[in-house]
Structures are given as structure tokens and as C-alpha cells.
Amino acid sequence: MTKDDSFFINLGSLTLAHKAQKILAENSVSATVGKSARAASGGCSWGLYVKGRKKEEVTLLLRAYSINPL
Amino acid sequence: MIYMDNSATSHPKPYEVRRAVKRAYNKFYANPGRGSSKDAIRASAEVYSAREALGALVNTSAENIVFTYNATYALNMALYGVIKEGMTVAVDRFSHNSALRPLYALSKRGVKLRFLDSSIIRDSVIIDSFESLVRKEKIDVLVLNHTSNVTGKMSPVKRLSDICREFDVTLILDASQSIGSSEIDMKKLGVDILASSGHKGLYGVTGTGFLAVSDSYPSVIDPLISGGSGIFSLSHEMPNLLPERLEAGTLGMIGISSMRAGAEFVLRVGAGAIGAWERELQRKLVSELLNVKGVTVYNKDVNANSIVLFNVEGMSSSALADKLDKMGISGRAGYHCAPLAHELIGTNNPENDGAMRLSIGIFNTERECDKLVSAVNKISKF
């Protein structure tokens, strides 16, 4: 999976990104831990690059596990 | 060599730990939590797995595991991060200097300290003392040593945490001597914050420790140090998210991998089973040393974990340690950085200058205990 054709779910923390990646894997969603650097959100932020799913669907799934994307 | 100084640091380490150290050196060379290259993500995934293993061991979420360099660092982090000017803190007398010294320093900044009465045998003494204290004045924090590094006695954590819940007291537990040989469930025990070393009952390399925050702890802990966290770099402050809020600077990758392997070893073997073996050898040593003329065992009546605390008549604990060392036995003499515990036991006198501590580990054997008793027998005859 390349980062170009996937969307980014911003979780802030790298630890949370790894946790979310494991949860998604258990739910058959493949995701890659990655970083986004944006001045508007305070600099570097960690999250997941996800492909082949709708962002809303993945966000909802994570919220079900009490992980709230930024 | 017979190594019985496992309360200072454990030796030998399980094979899994030695293998993990080699693997970390070869595989996790990139900085975990800075760059996002495959190398860096592989290292950070290992760090996360270590958090998961430690979280499973003490029953808290992986993100609530904060890596430190030792238990002292973890305790300082908890104490300075939670205790503020004007607060009142209760502390037990079995506490180690890693808790006592930061508390003495905090007392110079307007924090009030209250020392709880304790007994080396009876739990009721500390329970009654704490209960009567919280009914008299507002106590903000209780700092408790789970297992004494001097006597091996365990504190009645659950009974005390029930009082903490009733009177809204934050419970900070030093689990340095209990981790790996006692089942520790932060939720069941009612512990808010737990500090531990990683190189004792967790079998990690020296220079490792961690802080665990309960999932239900409602407050934000102020960072002890500030610096790079790998996230929100444009902000002037540390992030609010755990564990990054408290982990400034690059993590010790090899140490963290060693702790992961150690925690997984404990989860596989079982802390209860490890503790049971250590207690069995401890009881054997105590009962046999009591038959040696001139030997005083101070914790013979304590339901102790792994520790034998004794002296031989007519010599200081340091002289005894030197003699044992010459006979190939490693232990530790003196005051064990726990002055109040020695005060309670009565070993802070010029004749003994503390006491000799032997601390048993999972890899000690009955044969080693026999050799130890034989060595003390020889020493006591001179």
C-alpha cells in the first residue's frame, strides 16, 4: 500500500496509532502507522494510513474501541 | 558463585531476555517515535508490544505504561507530577529512599508529610493508623511500598485502597520488590499509579523501569522533565496524551525490549508460581539459619517474599557480607536505602550497622541454600 492512494486518520500519539492498527487488524482492516506534519495541527502527529475503506467507517470502528481520531 | 541479591537486581536473566537484548541491538536500531521510516516504525512497534506486555502484567492499558530508567525515576515522576504545594501525603515506614527523599524535598515546598505507624508483622497497625488519619484530616495522596525491600513483607494494599476510595485519596504504589513474584492487578487492588523497576522481578537489564497509570485515574500527571516527544513539535508544552506526555527524549530501546521479554517470561511462568518458589527457599533458609548459633533472623515471623534478613552475633552486617563474598556468596548488607524500616526492626545500631540481606530469585536452588547455611555456620564459629 502506498500512502498516496490512502487516507490518513490522525490520532496524535504514536502509541495510540499502534494500538489502533492492532484493533483494525483484528477487524480485518489493514492500516500502516505513519506521520503527518502540519503546522495547523501543532506539528508532527501520528496516525494510520488506511486504504480500501471509507474514512467514516474506520473512524466509527475506532470510536467503538474508545479511540477518537483528532 | 551463589547470587542472592535479587532485590537489588536479578541475576541470571532468563534466556528469552538475553535473546531479546541481542535482537533489539540488531533489529531495533532506529529511534522509536521520531522518524516514520520502516526501520523506525519497526522499533516503535516493539516499544508498543512492550507496553502491552507490561499493561497485561499489571492490568492497565498499553498507553498508560510510561518507560523510565528505574523505579526511582518512576517514583519521582509520580510524586512530583501529582503532589502539589499545600497537599498532605501519608507514607508508610517501609518506604525506600526512592520515595522518601523526593517526599522530604517536597516537604520543603509546602507539602505536609504524615508517617503511618507500621508493624513488621501485623497489617492491622498500618490500616488502623491510616484510617484514623483520614478521619482526622484531609489526606491527598498515600505513598505505599508494596513489598518491603528490607523484610519482604507485603502491605495490605486492598484494605488501604478501600480507605483511599472512600476518602478520595490517590494511591501511589512502589511495586519494585513485588513485580514478577506477586500477582498485581491495579484494578482489583485499587491502585492509581504504580512505579516499578524493570531489572528486578521483570528480569530486564539495569537502567529500566516504568510507571503505570490506572485506566480510571482521572487527573493529568505533570511531566517531570520536558523535551522532544515526537508529536506536536510546534507546541511549547508537552502533549496531554499518555505516554508521550511523560516520556521526553529518546527511549532506551534495548532496555525496553529486555523488559518486554521479562514481562512475557513472568506472564508465561506465572508471578504466583515464581513467588511460591522464592518463598519456599526463603522458609528453608530461615528455618535452617535459626539453628545456627549466634544468628538472629529479623523477619522470621513475617510472611515474607524472598528475603532473609539476619545478622551474626559479634560482627557488623558489612563484615558478614565481606566474609560471605569471600566464600562466593553475593548479598547486601547495611541499611538498604530504607532507614525507617531499620529503625522499626531495631537494626540501626553501631553493633550491627544494619543487617545482612539475602534475596532469593527464581533461579536459586535448594543446594545453594544448603551451601549458604554451611557458610554462615563456619563464619559464626570464628
Side-chain angles (χ1 to χ4, degrees):
Chain A
M1 184 191 341
T2 64
K3 290 176 184 175
D4 301 332
D5 55 357
S6 56
F7 59 85
F8 183 69
I9 295 190
N10 189 0
L11 296 164
S13 149
L14 173 58
T15 308
L16 218 49
H18 280 294
K19 182 176 189 165
Q21 186 190 34
K22 286 204 167 189
I23 287 168
L24 290 182
E26 282 163 12
N27 287 278
S28 308
V29 179
S30 174
T32 311
V33 173
K35 194 161 91 165
S36 157
R38 284 187 184 173
S41 53
C44 304
S45 194
W46 293 88
L48 294 174
Y49 286 97
V50 187
K51 192 180 148 187
R53 299 283 179 137
K54 284 185 178 168
K55 192 168 185 176
E56 294 74 18
E57 175 196 354
V58 177
T59 304
L60 261 179
L61 182 57
L62 290 175
R63 283 198 180 128
Y65 288 87
S66 304
I67 294 177
N68 296 308
L70 300 176
Chain B
M1 188 264 274
I2 296 174
Y3 185 83
M4 287 198 185
D5 200 10
N6 290 280
S7 290
T9 196
S10 58
H11 174 80
K13 308 296 183 189
Y15 168 71
E16 293 95 318
V17 171
R18 287 177 276 140
R19 189 179 56 188
V21 167
K22 194 176 169 190
R23 183 168 168 259
Y25 183 80
N26 288 318
K27 209 171 163 188
F28 308 128
Y29 41 80
N31 193 326
R34 296 299 183 263
S36 56
S37 66
K38 285 188 189 69
D39 286 343
I41 297 295
R42 186 168 58 238
S44 69
E46 169 70 2
V47 171
Y48 182 73
S49 296
R51 295 191 206 279
E52 277 190 318
L54 291 169
L57 199 63
V58 299
N59 195 14
T60 195
S61 298
E63 63 268 30
N64 289 343
I65 300 293
V66 177
F67 291 115
T68 65
Y69 310 116
N70 44 52
T72 300
Y73 198 100
L75 277 164
N76 272 263
M77 198 179 259
L79 299 173
Y80 282 100
V82 169
I83 300 167
K84 305 288 165 238
E85 191 182 338
M87 285 188 173
T88 305
V89 178
V91 57
D92 86 286
R93 287 174 192 271
F94 288 107
S95 287
H96 189 274
N97 273 340
S98 52
L100 291 174
R101 284 181 173 165
L103 286 173
Y104 290 135
L106 282 163
S107 74
K108 291 180 182 165
R109 299 185 192 176
V111 171
K112 294 182 279 294
L113 300 184
R114 302 287 182 259
F115 289 92
L116 299 174
D117 293 333
S118 302
S119 154
I120 67 162
I121 299 165
R122 283 177 299 129
D123 286 343
S124 58
V125 176
I126 191 169
I127 294 166
D128 292 348
S129 173
F130 186 51
E131 186 146 29
S132 119
L133 184 67
V134 291
R135 289 188 188 286
K136 257 195 324 221
E137 64 177 315
K138 171 63 190 155
I139 299 297
D140 298 289
V141 178
L142 169 63
V143 181
L144 190 65
N145 195 333
H146 195 190
T147 296
S148 165
N149 70 316
V150 176
T151 66
K153 185 192 178 302
M154 291 188 82
S155 294
V157 182
K158 182 70 179 98
R159 300 278 300 277
L160 292 165
S161 78
D162 286 345
I163 301 170
C164 287
R165 291 293 80 83
E166 192 182 343
F167 291 88
D168 193 23
V169 180
T170 296
L171 174 54
I172 298 174
L173 188 73
D174 175 2
S176 303
Q177 298 295 332
S178 55
I179 197 109
S181 56
S182 304
E183 305 286 353
I184 300 175
D185 183 321
M186 289 179 75
K187 283 191 182 84
K188 279 187 190 160
L189 284 175
V191 174
D192 293 304
I193 300 170
L194 177 147
S196 176
S197 52
H199 59 98
K200 296 177 181 177
L202 279 184
Y203 307 104
V205 299
T206 47
T208 55
F210 73 96
L211 190 77
V213 181
S214 158
D215 291 336
S216 59
Y217 184 63
S219 307
V220 174
I221 300 171
D222 286 337
L224 184 65
I225 61 164
S226 299
S229 63
I231 59 172
F232 308 139
S233 303
L234 302 181
S235 169
H236 290 192
E237 291 173 4
M238 291 298 283
N240 272 327
L241 298 159
L242 277 180
E244 285 87 349
R245 178 172 179 75
L246 301 178
E247 286 178 348
T250 297
L251 296 171
M253 193 64 237
I254 292 175
I256 287 169
S257 262
S258 74
M259 263 199 290
R260 175 198 174 175
E264 287 173 351
F265 172 81
V266 172
L267 286 165
R268 184 168 57 77
V269 178
I274 293 170
W277 174 246
E278 291 174 357
R279 273 192 298 280
E280 191 177 323
L281 292 188
Q282 189 265 359
R283 278 179 200 139
K284 173 183 166 67
L285 264 183
V286 168
S287 70
E288 291 178 16
L289 283 174
L290 284 170
N291 293 327
V292 179
K293 202 180 165 200
V295 166
T296 304
V297 180
Y298 300 101
N299 62 341
K300 64 182 164 57
D301 298 320
V302 178
N303 186 18
N305 273 351
S306 76
I307 287 174
V308 182
L309 189 75
F310 71 108
N311 272 319
V312 172
E313 198 179 346
M315 69 179 74
S316 70
S317 65
S318 303
L320 175 56
D322 287 344
K323 286 178 195 295
L324 286 170
D325 185 39
K326 281 178 187 143
M327 296 165 97
I329 296 162
S330 291
R332 180 178 168 190
Y335 294 96
H336 311 101
C337 302
L340 304 181
H342 278 279
E343 207 173 282
L344 267 173
I345 299 161
T347 41
N348 59 341
N349 58 64
E351 188 197 342
N352 300 128
D353 262 334
M356 179 69 204
R357 181 187 73 185
L358 298 171
S359 44
I360 295 150
I362 188 178
F363 297 112
N364 284 122
T365 62
E366 289 186 344
R367 195 154 171 260
E368 287 179 326
C369 292
D370 293 339
K371 284 184 180 170
L372 181 277
V373 174
S374 162
V376 176
N377 244 314
K378 280 182 195 154
I379 291 168
S380 70
K381 281 176 184 155
F382 285 99

